[in-house]
């Protein structure tokens, strides 16, 4: 719980706002991140976008900007506030105030405009078996443009340029603290939490066009639904032992467990941070399990009107309809 000790606390100013809770006692930072579901949302009546806390998966939303008007209204800037911002969120959660019913709001992607979206290819052992390819000896890294991010219930635009749009459910890691050359044993200190991702992929552009470079195939507008919330790391039993599933029109097409990941969160953060500085709000898509459409016999691809549900235990479900782009 956030509290003030007159003899031990000092006010902290972060990103232009002044928190009203104690964050540092004798040089030890207070960890305020436990057991929260961070969201971005829009209020139906005003159209305003704000940050908040989901009380539970599918539950009502605590309006953090109403609790403390000095907080930023974008999740990336909120995460840049570090423990100071998280401490305020903890106080808001404990207050039981400023609650909006789910019918009053629409959830947006829990993070928008990150500095980078880092993606990992062939990172599930069972997905490698599906393709009859060897397990990679080091992470296969590519990226999506941040402009591909949409919310947990937004439409996916089926581009006219592709006839082979495919599904991929993925565990997404959200960075909470800046770092470079991060050691594996310290990597989780840089993670704020996890969310569900759908790495929508145009296989024709991935496998036969653009010199078989993956970027364009992965980065069409709306090709990165995220949500419903950033579930803080201390809320999860074990991020590397969660059921992960995808359904298309109600049919189960992917069904695995994050324990099948070849390179886990710590290894991925350490590896990528050798090349690039990581910033709060950066997103890691950690790979998909077997069951994607392109490797079915015959191959199956998404069509206009299809509904895709991506689900991960303890995180929630995102549901996205495919519409004409």
């Amino acid at each position: 719980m956030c509290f003030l000790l007159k003899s031990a606390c000092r006010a902290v100013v972060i990103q232009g706002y002044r928190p009203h809770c104690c964050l540092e006692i004798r040089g030890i930072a207070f960890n305020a991140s436990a057991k929260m579901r961070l969201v971005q949302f829009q209020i139906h009546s005003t159209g305003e976008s704000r940050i908040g806390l989901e009380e539970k998966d599918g539950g009502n939303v605590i309006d953090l900007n109403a609790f403390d008007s000095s907080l930023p209204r974008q999740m990336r800037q909120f995460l840049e506030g570090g423990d100071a911002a998280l401490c305020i969120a903890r106080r808001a959660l404990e207050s039981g105030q400023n609650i909006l019913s789910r019918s009053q709001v629409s959830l947006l992607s829990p993070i928008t405009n990150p500095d980078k979206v880092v993606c990992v290819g062939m990172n599930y052992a069972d997905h490698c078996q599906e393709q009859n390819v060897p397990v990679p000896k080091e992470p296969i890294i590519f990226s999506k443009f941040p402009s591909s991010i949409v919310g947990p219930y937004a439409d996916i635009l089926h581009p006219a340029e592709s006839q082979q749009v495919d599904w991929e459910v993925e565990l997404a890691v959200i960075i909470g603290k800046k770092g470079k050359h991060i050691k594996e044993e310290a990597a989780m200190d840089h993670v704020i939490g996890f969310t569900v991702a759908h790495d929508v992929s145009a296989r024709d552009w991935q496998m036969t066009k653009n010199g078989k470079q993956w970027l364009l195939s992965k980065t069409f507008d709306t090709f990165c639904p995220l949500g419903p919330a950033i579930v803080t790391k201390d809320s999860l039993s074990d991020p590397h032992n969660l059921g992960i599933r995808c359904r298309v029109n109600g049919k189960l097409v992917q069904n695995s467990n994050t324990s099948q990941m070849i390179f886990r969160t710590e290894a991925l953060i350490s590896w990528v941070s050798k090349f690039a500085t990581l910033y709060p709000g950066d997103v890691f898509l950690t790979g998909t399990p077997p069951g994607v459409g392109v490797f079915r016999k015959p191959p199956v691809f998404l069509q206009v009107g299809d509904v895709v549900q991506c689900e991960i235990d303890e995180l929630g479900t995102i549901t996205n309809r495919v519409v004409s782009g």
Side-chain angles (χ1 to χ4, degrees), residues 147-270:
S147 58
S148 65
I149 292 175
V150 291
Y153 312 115
D155 291 337
I156 296 168
L157 300 179
H158 192 301
E161 293 80 6
S162 176
Q163 304 304 312
Q164 297 183 358
V165 178
D166 203 350
W167 58 83
E168 292 190 10
V169 60
E170 306 207 8
L171 174 70
V173 181
I174 310 299
I175 298 299
K177 179 176 141 184
K178 180 180 176 181
K180 181 78 183 289
H181 297 295
I182 301 166
K183 296 184 182 298
E184 283 194 33
E185 55 269 26
M188 289 303 291
D189 293 340
H190 293 262
V191 172
I192 178 61
F194 299 82
T195 195
V196 182
H198 184 183
D199 180 15
V200 188
S201 305
R203 300 302 186 192
D204 37 9
W205 284 90
Q206 182 180 10
M207 296 180 172
T208 64
K209 299 182 179 184
N210 195 41
K212 299 184 181 181
Q213 295 292 316
W214 291 5
L215 175 65
L216 291 184
S217 72
K218 300 282 189 171
T219 207
F220 283 96
D221 289 348
T222 75
F223 268 28
C224 190
L226 294 176
I230 299 171
V231 180
T232 54
K233 58 190 175 186
D234 294 333
S235 303
L236 299 179
S237 56
D238 180 356
H240 303 111
N241 189 23
L242 300 174
I244 180 169
R245 293 169 289 278
C246 178
R247 292 178 174 86
V248 177
N249 300 326
K251 179 182 177 181
L252 186 65
V253 291
Q254 291 183 278
N255 187 18
S256 186
N257 191 285
T258 57
S259 63
Q260 289 287 311
M261 287 171 58
I262 298 162
F263 301 102
R264 297 189 172 191
T265 300
E266 297 89 341
L268 295 174
I269 288 174
S270 179

Side-chain angles (χ1 to χ4, degrees), residues 49-314:
S49 296
R50 297 181 170 225
I51 59 171
L53 296 169
E54 195 179 32
E55 289 190 310
K56 62 180 180 179
D57 184 18
N60 294 332
V61 172
I62 298 169
D63 186 343
L64 288 178
N65 296 117
F67 180 80
D68 188 326
S69 61
S70 67
L71 286 173
R73 297 195 176 199
Q74 296 291 321
M75 189 63 68
R76 178 177 172 181
Q77 286 72 36
F78 173 81
L79 295 179
E80 288 170 351
D83 279 352
L86 292 168
C87 187
I88 296 173
R90 166 59 65 187
R91 288 178 56 231
L93 182 63
E94 292 169 347
S95 76
Q97 300 174 357
N98 306 113
I99 297 174
L100 298 172
S101 69
R102 196 58 175 263
S103 63
Q104 294 177 277
V105 304
S106 294
L107 293 190
L108 308 172
S109 171
I111 187 75
T112 44
N113 298 315
D115 184 73
K116 61 186 73 69
V117 180
V118 179
C119 305
V120 188
M122 297 195 299
N123 196 35
Y124 275 69
D126 46 6
H127 186 43
C128 291
Q129 294 168 6
E130 172 184 53
Q131 301 176 63
N132 194 29
V133 296
V135 171
K137 294 183 179 179
E138 55 190 33
I140 298 172
I141 303 298
F142 60 100
S143 66
K144 286 178 174 281
F145 292 155
S147 58
S148 65
I149 292 175
V150 291
Y153 312 115
D155 291 337
I156 296 168
L157 300 179
H158 192 301
E161 293 80 6
S162 176
Q163 304 304 312
Q164 297 183 358
V165 178
D166 203 350
W167 58 83
E168 292 190 10
V169 60
E170 306 207 8
L171 174 70
V173 181
I174 310 299
I175 298 299
K177 179 176 141 184
K178 180 180 176 181
K180 181 78 183 289
H181 297 295
I182 301 166
K183 296 184 182 298
E184 283 194 33
E185 55 269 26
M188 289 303 291
D189 293 340
H190 293 262
V191 172
I192 178 61
F194 299 82
T195 195
V196 182
H198 184 183
D199 180 15
V200 188
S201 305
R203 300 302 186 192
D204 37 9
W205 284 90
Q206 182 180 10
M207 296 180 172
T208 64
K209 299 182 179 184
N210 195 41
K212 299 184 181 181
Q213 295 292 316
W214 291 5
L215 175 65
L216 291 184
S217 72
K218 300 282 189 171
T219 207
F220 283 96
D221 289 348
T222 75
F223 268 28
C224 190
L226 294 176
I230 299 171
V231 180
T232 54
K233 58 190 175 186
D234 294 333
S235 303
L236 299 179
S237 56
D238 180 356
H240 303 111
N241 189 23
L242 300 174
I244 180 169
R245 293 169 289 278
C246 178
R247 292 178 174 86
V248 177
N249 300 326
K251 179 182 177 181
L252 186 65
V253 291
Q254 291 183 278
N255 187 18
S256 186
N257 191 285
T258 57
S259 63
Q260 289 287 311
M261 287 171 58
I262 298 162
F263 301 102
R264 297 189 172 191
T265 300
E266 297 89 341
L268 295 174
I269 288 174
S270 179
W271 177 258
V272 174
S273 72
K274 293 178 181 180
F275 305 92
T277 300
L278 302 183
Y279 294 98
D282 283 354
V283 180
F284 276 66
L285 272 57
T286 58
T288 198
V292 296
V294 70
F295 295 122
R296 293 176 175 266
K297 300 185 185 300
V300 178
F301 299 108
L302 293 173
Q303 305 297 323
V304 171
D306 287 345
V307 177
V308 185
Q309 294 173 295
C310 295
E311 176 186 9
I312 301 178
D313 291 349
E314 302 181 35

